[in-house]
Amino acid sequence: MQKHTIASTCFLLAALLCAPGSFAQPNPGAVDILALASSPRWLTTKVYIEGEPQTDVKADYSEVVGISTWDLETNRYEFFDAVTGVSKYNKGGGGYFFVTGDQKHHILVPEFGPIKTVVRRLEALNKTEFTYSREVPRDMVENNPPVRIHVVHTPYKGE
């Protein structure tokens, strides 16, 4: 029953994120959702703060760095540590995802850990790049001012 409550909450959140004026209008910057299935795994290759794409700050945002899997048939995801390959599932790194109808937001609903819905803005999604952005505290330190980070992924070729 809890899964249904979480899913319902996410759908409500998605509806609220879509401005009424955005319905039935073409989205010129639409992403290719099916591109998530073009690679079984995606590797974080760069993290940068909005407005500073030349500076890679992966070391300051290790919580968002890793390997991710996306199953479009079940809408399930799971994150793994890029160095050890260990799953992050029990720490909130696995659950369900969906993309809003306007294809502008990618929403995660973790099954375990500090359960909270994560809304990410889709910046690029094609067969060679998956980039999202979201607001987080600077350097992922609570009470720091928020910044918008962009997290860039490319298809992962390793084990």
Side-chain angles (χ1 to χ4, degrees):
M1 187 63 158
Q2 184 181 7
K3 287 182 185 178
H4 297 293
T5 303
I6 291 171
S8 298
T9 302
C10 290
F11 289 124
L12 177 61
L13 177 63
L16 292 173
L17 286 173
C18 298
S22 69
F23 293 107
Q25 293 181 9
N27 181 5
V31 296
D32 180 8
I33 302 306
L34 297 178
L36 274 177
S38 66
S39 173
R41 293 175 214 82
W42 293 81
L43 174 67
T44 307
T45 54
K46 183 176 186 178
V47 178
Y48 65 90
I49 295 173
E50 189 163 78
E52 302 175 28
Q54 69 283 1
T55 306
D56 191 350
V57 293
K58 274 192 309 199
D60 298 330
Y61 296 90
S62 61
E63 291 90 350
V64 301
V65 174
I67 300 168
S68 57
T69 61
W70 306 94
D71 184 339
L72 291 179
E73 290 183 20
T74 63
N75 280 44
R76 295 190 60 77
Y77 72 92
E78 188 169 356
F79 301 145
F80 300 86
D81 183 282
V83 175
T84 66
V86 173
S87 173
K88 297 181 180 183
Y89 184 81
N90 288 330
K91 296 178 183 173
Y96 293 91
F97 75 93
F98 64 94
V99 175
T100 57
D102 62 3
Q103 297 181 339
K104 292 182 181 179
H105 294 93
H106 186 243
I107 299 176
L108 307 181
V109 184
E111 288 185 301
F112 295 104
I115 303 287
K116 66 179 188 176
T117 301
V118 178
V119 179
R120 307 177 332 167
R121 186 170 69 196
L122 284 170
E123 302 292 345
L125 181 54
N126 56 53
K127 292 181 179 184
T128 60
E129 179 184 343
F130 167 34
T131 299
Y132 70 83
S133 70
R134 66 183 262 218
E135 277 199 2
V136 297
R138 181 174 284 282
D139 301 327
M140 299 294 276
V141 175
E142 200 171 323
N143 297 324
N144 273 0
V147 294
R148 179 166 289 278
I149 60 170
H150 292 245
V151 183
V152 181
H153 302 81
T154 56
Y156 179 65
K157 308 286 187 216
E159 291 287 320

